[in-house]
Amino acid sequence: MIEVEHLCKTFTVSRRDAGIRQAVSALFRRETEKIRALDDVSFRIEPGEMVGYIGPNGAGKSSTIKVMSGILTPDSGVCRINGLVPWKQRKEHVRRIGVVFGQRSQLWWDIPVIDSFMLLKDIYRTPDAVFHKNLSQLTEMLSLQEILRTPARQLSLGQRMRCEIAASLLHEPAVLFLDEPTIGLDAASKLAVRDFICQLNREKGTTIILTTHDMQDIEALAGRIILIGKGKILMDGDIEDFRRQLSPVRTVTVSVRKFADMVLPDGVQLVQKQGETGGRMIFTTDTGKVAVPQLIGLLSEKLEMYDLSVENVSMDALVLSLYRKYQI
Amino acid sequence: MRLYFHYLSLHIRERMEYKKSFLLNLMGQFLGSFSAFLVIWFMFARFHSVKGFTFSQVLLSFSVVLMAFSLSECFFRGFDTFSTMIGNGEFDRILVRPRNTVFLVICSKLQLDRLSRMLQAAVMLGYALPRCGVEWTLPRIGVLVMMIGCGMAVFCCLFICGATLCFFTIESIEVINIFTDGAREFGAYPFAVYGKGILRLLTFVVPLACFQYWPMMWLIDPESPVFYAFCPIFSLLFIIPVSLLWKLGVKKYCSTGS
């Protein structure tokens, strides 16, 4: 259980104009500015939840993760994770969490991955039995057999990320923080990482908190998203709720053998018809008036269909419209 | 302790990936600090004493300081590159490990290249001990060990002190090097040669003289007060303000953006 209440953190940032003269004068008189990285952030996450934490660059995503993982001490506010305050009971707390920073490696560059893992075993004082059980499970789930004996510098980015994730899970944490886990990965590696995260959540009930800019990640993984902008929580809830709230319109495309005339209910429109006697028909429906299953039922009564697809507004478009709505 | 050796073995394995650069570094380090010894040696070839200290006594203080310094450097100098650890976010990683932060910083950067300096310090010590006019009884050897041990602790504190400043500035500050690398150089002479003011500073503020000048006085001159011999222990008090400063620094720490 993660409880975060009224978390605030300000950073002091110094500013100066470009140029050598400004640089020299900045030595003596420095203009500083306070930036509210976190401004009254509150949320709750239940055990076993998978939460996507999104927001534009500099919104406060990483700061929140850093506070929750005991790296930063906030100016004020409460944060309790499984009953522990991360920055006060740091050692007990971090023993139960795993952190993956997508952009920073925790593996030793010049020595085989397995050596890094053995070191982690000593750092976390993981008992032999637990360690070997987890290692063999992770090796299988992330298919690491071949790469465990390779030095980290010779791994591809995708292979390395799989090792990073394994490294963060060897001590069986109850909570896993993933900071941009799929950054820079190719399609196959992204899929492998996503599948693994889903499986982990399903089989071990690990609570997962994920920050990302890749909306497909969110779509594939998180049931719930929290949107942060300028240090404030703007929205918190189910992905489907967002979608309904933001854009109630769905597009339904059907391919039919033969066109037929029909009366469309209020809220449904035929936007396009391709072909002479048969072909593709594209409808839009306002889900507030006619739900998608209802429309499909109606269409299948009247038409002989051989293909059908329903399109959501893409996650990217959705998030952009969110950013616009809140002007962040 | 087991973890420390685990780190050590990984560092050795890592260094062995690049054998040539390791060997060249060892040689470079050796020649570098050997030159400091030559400077002293040439000086004493012309003048026979500095402020009443003979060559062999200077040699003793030099070798004690060098030994303490190179021990602490070899094992604890992770703090030297602390500003880069903060800059590239490595320190974030350390904070999410369930171990003492100071300990992990020490472990993450062991400087094996400095082994050559330790070897050299050992040679110097071996040369100086029979020649400095001290009769080596058991208590005296005890004091010598204490001097080196406490000296190592003081240097280690100084490294930490310098690193702690990074929390407030994000960049490293060279000021502290006056007391670390600087002390190695001017610690070649008993600190009394620099005058009363400096000696006081190095006794009560930065306790470098506590493990060098005062116990050495006791070693050389049996008439001097016995508490001189226990000065090295006094220098350990330096750990208290330094550890408080470190705690404050970790609390103030604002990580860099990712």
Side-chain angles (χ1 to χ4, degrees), chain B residues 233-247:
Chain B
I233 293 176
F234 172 70
S235 73
L236 292 180
L237 289 178
F238 194 47
I239 295 173
I240 298 167
V242 169
S243 69
L244 287 179
L245 193 66
W246 173 260
K247 286 222 172 85

Side-chain angles (χ1 to χ4, degrees), chain A residues 5-280:
Chain A
E5 278 162 36
H6 311 296
L7 221 52
C8 293
K9 175 89 189 168
T10 44
F11 289 118
T12 311
V13 181
S14 61
R15 304 216 171 256
R16 66 175 167 84
D17 300 321
I20 188 89
R21 190 185 298 170
Q22 277 74 11
V24 173
S25 74
L27 267 181
F28 303 102
R29 194 172 42 86
R30 204 175 250 209
E31 280 174 50
T32 57
E33 194 180 327
K34 290 225 180 259
I35 293 202
R36 311 205 71 166
L38 297 177
D39 188 357
D40 199 22
V41 168
S42 304
F43 54 81
R44 266 171 88 95
I45 296 173
E46 299 298 326
E49 259 192 295
M50 264 213 264
V51 178
Y53 199 53
I54 58 170
N57 289 327
K61 293 192 302 284
S62 291
S63 298
T64 319
I65 297 280
K66 282 174 185 167
V67 168
M68 288 196 284
S69 51
I71 295 171
L72 286 181
T73 310
D75 299 336
S76 65
V78 184
C79 173
R80 224 173 286 113
I81 298 180
N82 298 323
L84 298 173
V85 179
W87 59 93
K88 289 202 181 127
Q89 292 139 298
R90 192 184 62 82
K91 279 190 221 168
E92 295 86 36
H93 168 65
V94 296
R95 197 182 295 280
R96 304 188 205 171
I97 62 166
V99 189
V100 177
F101 296 113
Q103 321 224 44
R104 291 168 188 163
S105 182
Q106 58 180 315
L107 303 169
W108 286 51
W109 197 241
D110 286 319
I111 53 178
V113 176
I114 186 72
D115 283 344
S116 296
F117 286 2
M118 295 307 285
L119 181 69
L120 286 169
K121 172 179 176 293
D122 269 6
I123 291 178
Y124 284 92
R125 298 192 176 97
T126 317
D128 281 332
V130 178
F131 176 80
H132 288 294
K133 189 194 78 192
N134 288 337
L135 181 63
S136 65
Q137 262 178 14
L138 290 165
T139 311
E140 193 193 326
M141 283 161 91
L142 289 161
S143 28
L144 304 177
Q145 293 89 341
E146 266 115 68
I147 49 182
L148 277 180
R149 296 182 185 288
T150 321
R153 65 163 191 273
Q154 288 168 349
L155 297 178
S156 74
L157 195 57
Q159 289 172 328
R160 218 182 68 209
M161 187 51 70
R162 271 156 36 213
C163 293
E164 297 278 348
I165 293 175
S168 305
L169 290 168
L170 288 168
H171 58 288
E172 263 190 346
V175 182
L176 178 65
F177 296 100
L178 294 159
D179 197 1
E180 308 195 23
T182 56
I183 195 161
L185 300 189
D186 65 24
S189 307
K190 270 186 191 173
L191 282 180
V193 167
R194 281 181 204 143
D195 282 347
F196 170 76
I197 295 171
C198 276
Q199 199 184 351
L200 177 79
N201 176 265
R202 205 171 48 235
E203 288 176 8
K204 295 209 167 179
T206 310
T207 311
I208 290 165
I209 292 138
L210 164 97
T211 77
T212 183
H213 289 291
D214 186 327
M215 289 311 146
Q216 286 170 325
D217 281 354
I218 295 283
E219 208 153 6
L221 295 173
R224 171 180 167 196
I225 59 178
I226 297 177
L227 172 73
I228 186 171
K230 289 188 182 149
K232 286 193 174 71
I233 299 274
L234 299 174
M235 276 183 124
D236 180 354
D238 210 51
I239 292 192
E240 292 311 313
D241 283 345
F242 282 146
R243 243 200 272 274
R244 266 196 293 282
Q245 200 181 338
L246 281 163
S247 84
V249 179
R250 292 282 184 288
T251 306
V252 176
T253 306
V254 294
S255 303
V256 297
R257 305 222 185 271
K258 198 159 170 265
F259 292 134
D261 287 327
M262 53 184 172
V263 187
L264 295 172
D266 188 29
V268 179
Q269 274 183 316
L270 175 62
V271 283
Q272 218 185 352
K273 206 168 163 184
Q274 295 168 346
E276 291 291 317
T277 54
R280 266 153 52 101

